[in-house]
Amino acid sequence: MTMGRRRQDKPRLIPEQDRRICGSICLCQLTIVLSCVSLVYLTVAVYMPSHKAFNSGIEPRPVMCQAVNTSLVNNCDWASCGEWCLTKTSGFCPQIHVTTRQNGTDITVENCTRLTTVACPPVNPGVLHKYNCNEDKVCGSLTGLFNCSLGHCANMSELFLCHYKADGIIVDSDKDNLKLNGFFDCYKSRCTKIKNMRNFYCERYCPRITTTANNVYIQYENNVYVGRCGQVMAHNEARGSEPGSPVQATPVWSDQGQEEVFLASCHTVNRNRDNRLSATDCINGTLLNATLVPDKSMNFTIYRHLVENTTKVADEQQRFLPMQHLLTIYNDSRLYINLEGCVNTLRGECRQFLNTHGNDGDNFTAQSRFPCFYNKNDSFLVVARFDLNKTWRELLIAVVVPSTLFVVSFVALVVIAHSVKVGDDA
């Protein structure tokens, strides 16, 4: 080395073995930290709910629930479904009350011809044509039934047939637009307010139900299956508020030329290729004198009236297709999506739950009907989702995976600490 020239040290090389050891230490430390964090989170998300499920007293066998009252409130103290379990539900608070009953009868309707289905789905009020009467000349010829708020009016006559008596104040929709608050019957901008809301109700415009030569009417949700059939067979029997039991196929009704039609309400109905209907959870099986059914066709309003006023039951012993009140367990209970009353998906699951479970029969729509789970000794609540086997699996995974990773990483760190020696030249 020459004078005046600084000695340049060569960069220190880290052996490949040391790199692997350092990487292993970092990986094990990261795994331990993540395992600890997951154990803390899973305490709230899995461990506590699992303990609650195992000690809830909820029956694992599902029964049937039917929505009777649904409301949306703000700043509620309870909700049927909340979007995040780590915070108190606020804002969107659906509250659903249901009746709880045992399952009805599973049936097959055989030897059918002329099978058709008529649907009358619920109406979305959001699609109604809206008028802003606060703008000039927009409501100069307003005609029909309108639901108004501060001069903004939606035309309900487009989708609903409403029954009411307009007995309130008279408002000119073109000049006194700010007085348009409530329901109004309008004719060329002369609007009369509907003051008495007790007798106010609306029906959807629906297709007509064909009645010619038909003797079976099976309703499910907002649909009716209609046809000319030979017989109805039952596959299980009811025992009141106690669980029913399966039986061999038993005739409940047959077409023997009587002037009678068969009516029932079921949870699901499927049409088979051999002109049969398979239906589950059928109740309210009744027989109606055929002369009371209108010729050719009838609307859904008349059909509902016939169903509600029919008193002759299909099975006098009420073993098959019994009346609903004979199966009732609880008349009124709170409905929760699960025992916690919340979900953690943050994907709008609660709004979907409200749409599928919260229809309480407003405007003559079908009430939501679905399997649920209840406590034999407590009518306070029922839940829509309850699966102890799934809870066991989730609990097992939530305990084994993070615990195993924690233990393995900890042992690895201990082994590395006792095996690796640091030299004096380090």
Side-chain angles (χ1 to χ4, degrees), residues 261-278:
V261 296
F262 177 85
L263 307 173
S265 173
C266 302
H267 179 224
T268 62
V269 179
N270 294 309
R271 181 175 180 176
N272 302 321
R273 294 182 178 180
D274 54 352
N275 289 324
R276 290 190 309 149
L277 295 178
S278 298

Side-chain angles (χ1 to χ4, degrees), residues 13 48 86 89 97 140 208 223 228 252 298 310 343 356 405:
L13 297 177
M48 293 175 62
L86 299 181
T89 301
H97 290 261
R208 297 184 68 84
N223 311 279
R228 182 85 188 179
V252 177
M298 60 180 170
T310 302
V343 292
T356 56
L405 292 175

Side-chain angles (χ1 to χ4, degrees), residues 251-266:
V252 177
W253 171 87
S254 61
D255 181 18
Q256 298 179 353
Q258 312 103 313
E259 292 295 321
E260 289 181 332
V261 296
F262 177 85
L263 307 173
S265 173
C266 302

Side-chain angles (χ1 to χ4, degrees), residues 94-243:
Q95 296 181 341
I96 305 173
H97 290 261
V98 298
T99 60
T100 309
R101 62 168 175 80
Q102 292 292 348
N103 295 284
T105 305
D106 296 341
I107 64 172
T108 54
V109 186
E110 302 177 346
N111 304 325
C112 295
T113 58
R114 306 165 56 90
L115 275 176
T116 59
T117 179
V118 183
C120 186
V123 173
N124 179 12
V127 303
L128 294 175
H129 186 202
K130 297 179 176 60
Y131 297 83
N132 184 2
C133 296
N134 299 319
E135 297 180 1
D136 291 339
K137 307 301 181 181
V138 172
C139 298
S141 59
L142 213 61
T143 300
L145 176 68
F146 293 84
N147 182 9
C148 300
S149 175
L150 297 176
H152 295 265
C153 298
N155 187 2
M156 296 188 64
S157 302
E158 295 176 350
L159 300 176
F160 294 98
L161 173 63
C162 296
H163 305 270
Y164 56 88
K165 181 180 179 181
D167 54 356
I169 61 173
I170 298 176
V171 176
D172 189 324
S173 61
D174 193 33
K175 298 178 181 179
D176 300 323
N177 48 286
L178 293 179
K179 295 181 180 180
L180 293 173
N181 283 293
F183 290 92
F184 287 84
D185 180 23
C186 300
Y187 180 73
K188 294 183 178 180
S189 78
R190 181 183 173 89
C191 298
T192 305
K193 188 171 184 177
I194 302 172
K195 185 177 180 181
N196 185 4
M197 299 297 294
R198 291 184 179 180
N199 298 322
F200 177 84
Y201 65 94
C202 295
E203 305 173 60
R204 299 155 291 164
Y205 288 116
C206 299
R208 297 184 68 84
I209 302 171
T210 302
T211 60
T212 303
N214 291 323
N215 62 356
V216 169
Y217 298 83
I218 306 292
Q219 181 179 357
Y220 70 104
E221 297 180 350
N222 291 288
N223 311 279
V224 177
Y225 257 108
V226 183
R228 182 85 188 179
C229 302
Q231 64 179 356
V232 176
M233 306 291 289
H235 301 280
N236 61 306
E237 65 175 347
R239 295 179 178 177
S241 59
E242 296 298 321

Side-chain angles (χ1 to χ4, degrees), residues 21 25 31 52 110 117 126 145 172 215 221 272 277 295-296 298 301 307 325 348 359 364 388 397 404 416:
I21 293 174
I25 292 174
T31 303
K52 186 176 182 180
E110 302 177 346
T117 179
L145 176 68
D172 189 324
N215 62 356
E221 297 180 350
N272 302 321
L277 295 178
D295 293 334
K296 296 183 179 180
M298 60 180 170
T301 301
V307 171
H325 70 273
N359 297 320
F364 299 99
L388 286 180
I397 294 172
T404 301
I416 292 174

Side-chain angles (χ1 to χ4, degrees), residues 214-377:
N214 291 323
N215 62 356
V216 169
Y217 298 83
I218 306 292
Q219 181 179 357
Y220 70 104
E221 297 180 350
N222 291 288
N223 311 279
V224 177
Y225 257 108
V226 183
R228 182 85 188 179
C229 302
Q231 64 179 356
V232 176
M233 306 291 289
H235 301 280
N236 61 306
E237 65 175 347
R239 295 179 178 177
S241 59
E242 296 298 321
S245 60
V247 296
Q248 292 185 348
T250 304
V252 177
W253 171 87
S254 61
D255 181 18
Q256 298 179 353
Q258 312 103 313
E259 292 295 321
E260 289 181 332
V261 296
F262 177 85
L263 307 173
S265 173
C266 302
H267 179 224
T268 62
V269 179
N270 294 309
R271 181 175 180 176
N272 302 321
R273 294 182 178 180
D274 54 352
N275 289 324
R276 290 190 309 149
L277 295 178
S278 298
T280 62
D281 184 49
C282 296
I283 57 175
N284 299 335
T286 53
L287 301 177
L288 176 67
N289 192 318
T291 59
L292 299 177
V293 180
D295 293 334
K296 296 183 179 180
S297 66
M298 60 180 170
N299 59 29
F300 270 75
T301 301
I302 296 176
Y303 174 77
R304 284 191 297 268
H305 178 75
L306 292 176
V307 171
E308 292 171 358
N309 291 277
T310 302
T311 58
K312 184 178 180 180
V313 296
D315 178 30
E316 294 183 356
Q317 298 180 356
Q318 291 293 275
R319 293 172 56 212
F320 308 113
L321 295 104
M323 305 306 289
Q324 180 170 341
H325 70 273
L326 298 176
L327 301 174
T328 300
I329 302 171
Y330 299 133
N331 287 316
D332 194 318
S333 302
R334 291 182 180 182
L335 173 68
Y336 289 87
I337 189 170
N338 50 34
L339 282 173
E340 290 70 47
C342 57
V343 292
N344 291 315
T345 57
L346 296 178
R347 294 182 297 183
E349 192 173 351
C350 286
R351 290 193 179 275
Q352 183 180 2
F353 179 77
L354 176 63
N355 292 334
T356 56
H357 292 69
N359 297 320
D360 57 5
D362 281 352
N363 294 326
F364 299 99
T365 56
Q367 296 169 277
S368 294
R369 184 167 159 185
F370 46 87
C372 61
F373 302 86
Y374 77 110
N375 187 326
K376 284 185 176 181
N377 302 313

